[in-house]
Structure formats: C-alpha cells, structure tokens
Amino acid sequence: MAIVVQKFGGTSVADAEKIRRAAKRVMDAVDKGFSVVVIASARGKQTDQLIADALELNPDPSAREMDQLMSTGEIQTVSLFAMALEAAGYPAISFTGTQIKMVTDNVHTKARIKSIGTDEIHNELNKGKVVLIAGFQGTDSNGNVTTLGRGGSDTTAVAIAAVLGAHECEIYTDVDGIYTTDPRIFEQAAKIEKISYDEMLEMASLGAGVMHSRAIEFGKKYDVNIHVRSSSEQTEGTLITKEVPQMEDVVVSGATIQKDMAEIGLIGVDNKPGNAAKTFAHLAKAKVVINDIVQTEISNEKANLLFTIGTSDLKDAKKAVEEIKDELNCEKIFVRDDIAQISVVGVGMRAHYGVAEKMFSALAQAEVNIDSITTSEIRISCIVSEKDAKKALKTVCLAFDLDKPIEKRAKK
Ligand code: ADP
Ligand code: ASP
Ligand code: MG
C-alpha cells in the first residue's frame, strides 16, 4: 500500500479541537487506502514554554538536559493524537524518536540525522495502524536524547518520507503554502505554486521559517515531493520539487529576512596563509554554524575577516575568537547583533542580468544603508541595520513584483 507522510506543526495541534481536525486529515488519507505516518510538533508554543521553564531554574542549562526536556513536547502531541484517532475508531500507535531508532550525531540542540529504523514503522503499518512519530528528536549513539534545531520536525518528516520511499510528504501548517516572502511581514506576498529544492533551500537557510532547511536537503537528495499546505483549509498548497526549465523564467522567486543574526569582525589579522583556516577550525570545534564569510586584504601585512552567524551561537563564537585572537595577531574584534539580512532568491538569476543593480537601487531609494553584500549563483543578500530591516524587505519585494502572481511580474 502506498505510504503518505503527514506532518503537523505546532499551531495545527495546539488544542484538542485542532488535534481532532488534524486527525480528520489522517482519517481521510486512510479512507483513501493510504498507509499513513504522522509526524507532529509540540503543541502551540510549548517548546518556547519549556525553554522558559528551563531558564527560570538555570540561566545556562546544559544542552543535553535542554534536549531531554524539549523532546517531551512532541511526545505529548503524538500520544494525544493517537488517542484522538483511536477514539474515532482508527487504530494508531505513537513512537518517540528513540523508539523508532532515529539515530543522530551528538550535537545537542542541532543534531543531524544519521540513520532511521524502519522495522517498527512497517510492522505497525502492516497491522493497519496509523503510525505517529514525535518530530524534532533522536538519540545519539550513546543513548542521549538529541533535538534537530528549532523547526526540526519538518526534517523528521521528510527524512522519514525518504526512508519509507513515500512519494509525497505533506507539511500541514498555519499558512496555505509558501509565499514570495513571509506574509506576516509583507501582507501582499503572493503564493507560489511550485518552487525548486534549491530555491527553497536558500530561502529556508536565509530565514523563511516556514520550512527547516535540512528538510529540503533530504527532499532534494531522496527526491521527496514536499507539499506545504494549510491544516485548516482544503486548498492546494505549494509543491517543493525538482527544478524544471520554466522556473528560470522567473528572475526572483522569493525574498527573505533573517533577524536573529550577528556579525563578528576580526580586524587587522596577519595576512598570511593558514589564518582563515585556523579561525574557522576553531569555530567549528566550538560547533558554531557560519552563514557568510567576507575576507578583505587591507595591506600586504593585514586583512579583515568578517563572518555572520545566528545569535544562538554568539556566545560560543565570541569565546572562540577571543581564544584565537592573539595567535592571529588580531588588532580588534567587533561584534554587532543589531543587524538583519535581506535576501532575494531565484534560479532565474542564472539567466538574467541586472538583478543586483535592481536590489541595490531599491534599497538606495528607500535610504537603507547596505553594510555588506554576499551572493551565490541564485541569491543576493544584504546585511542592513535591524531597524531598517522590514522597510528593506518590503522595498525589495515591490521592486521584484513579489506582490504579484508569477504571470503578472515584469520579465526582467
Ligand atoms: P509550523 O508550526 O506549522 O511548523 P511555522 O511557524 O514553523 O509553522 O511556519 C509557518 C510560518 O512561517 C508562517 O506562519 C509564516 O509566518 C512563516 N513564513 C516565513 N516565511 C514564509 C514564506 N515565505 N511563506 C510562507 N510562510 C512563511
Ligand atoms: N517544537 C519544535 C520547535 O518549536 C520543533 C518544531 O516545531 O518543528 O521548534
Ligand atoms: Mg515549523
């Protein structure tokens, strides 16, 4: 029997009524003859609440205990969800990440999946049960509970869809699809019907919180079609899928804003081979995830090394650069955490010119100063002051017609 994976985010299972509504989606799929595997997140804002509870008792809790605690949110959801299904006459069984052998590395609070057991899932599906799996969590090889990073249930869902060979993974959420930008910030954002893995991967990594970026990596690698749709409305959502040539006709598919960011600058480090390697090896040892790096030579002897990171890594990153400062002969370290990054993304950039100019002109007209610029083949990102960030996003969206459906956008 064909398997479908359905993932329900926190808002979609926030209370009993919403769990019943989500259960109805599952029952519809069962009635259509599918074997259904459900991944669920913690209810409502429960993960935030668990973090607040922890901080009330310890301002600097260990990452291991945080994972142990945070993983409980999704465990509650899946057992409640199973009860709702059973009450409606649909046999169901819930599992924690550990129970289905979701093995991860040992990087607490941002672990990566290494392998997933499928025996338990298949056994239960074969008995005609709906299988519910707690999202966002796994276990390292020593049996410690780990979590995959905020928003990580998406990754659990797509990874499970991949190992089960499910042809589609449905992501049920509080928006009815992927929009050109976060509709909470730019209300006129247009809905996207289809988006390529690469574009969505960039958007997710650049702050489009609607999907966890690792989920898209799994989707791309294992060819899982990801369908992002509304848990409350019966509309078609957005399909995240393989790139097709027509996708290049659209210059910019989406724009993002990333706020929880910090910039660290190592000013006047010795300009000699090995210094960048040393710096980033040290940061990697501290498990700091680096977003972008800009190195500029200021003279034969000296260079500046700038990089951006998420604010959650700021404490570790600061400590790491302080430790290595003298070895690099660094004159000064600066840290800014009042910044935000505005990016535009589109596979069409490969085939069109003038995209950067359009973005920078729009920002100039809105009198937004650009702190630094980074690019890839399919994206352009500008660091701006946090206070200008929303204005900058809106300006850029209007410049690229991201308030209009694809057919009505300017071709260049
Ligand atoms: P869930 O709890 O279901 O995982 P999330 O809050 O993680 O839901 O993701 C849904 C939210 O993502 C939306 O409410 C929306 O505000 C935000 N979002 C950010 N960027 C986008 C985008 N480009 N398209 C749609 N939603 C977006
Ligand atoms: N509950 C976790 C979070 O709030 C994981 C998720 O929702 O995907 O980040
Ligand atoms: Mg989410």
Side-chain angles (χ1 to χ4, degrees), residues 1 3 35-37 91-93 95 99-101 117-131 133 164:
M1 237 191 311
I3 298 175
S35 292
V36 188
V37 177
I93 181 164
F95 290 108
Q99 285 172 322
I100 58 139
K101 301 186 182 63
T118 52
D119 291 352
E120 283 79 2
I121 303 177
H122 282 303
N123 282 343
E124 299 300 334
L125 290 177
N126 289 341
K127 289 182 207 159
K129 292 190 186 177
V130 173
V131 174
I133 299 165
L164 294 177

Side-chain angles (χ1 to χ4, degrees), residues 95-112:
F95 290 108
T96 65
T98 309
Q99 285 172 322
I100 58 139
K101 301 186 182 63
M102 169 73 71
V103 180
T104 70
D105 62 17
N106 63 1
V107 186
H108 283 294
T109 75
K110 47 186 175 198
R112 291 166 81 98

Side-chain angles (χ1 to χ4, degrees), residues 7 10 41-42 47 74 136 149-154:
K7 180 256 170 179
S41 296
T47 309
E74 350 299 277
F136 174 57
R150 298 304 307 268
S153 298
D154 296 332

Side-chain angles (χ1 to χ4, degrees), residues 7-12 41 151 154 171-175 177-184 200 203 207-211 255-256:
K7 180 256 170 179
F8 296 90
T11 42
S12 308
S41 296
D154 296 332
I171 305 283
Y172 287 97
T173 183
D174 63 353
V175 266
I178 313 279
Y179 280 70
T180 49
T181 196
D182 188 342
R184 274 191 235 171
M200 194 60 223
M203 283 181 65
V210 60
M211 282 297 294
T256 60

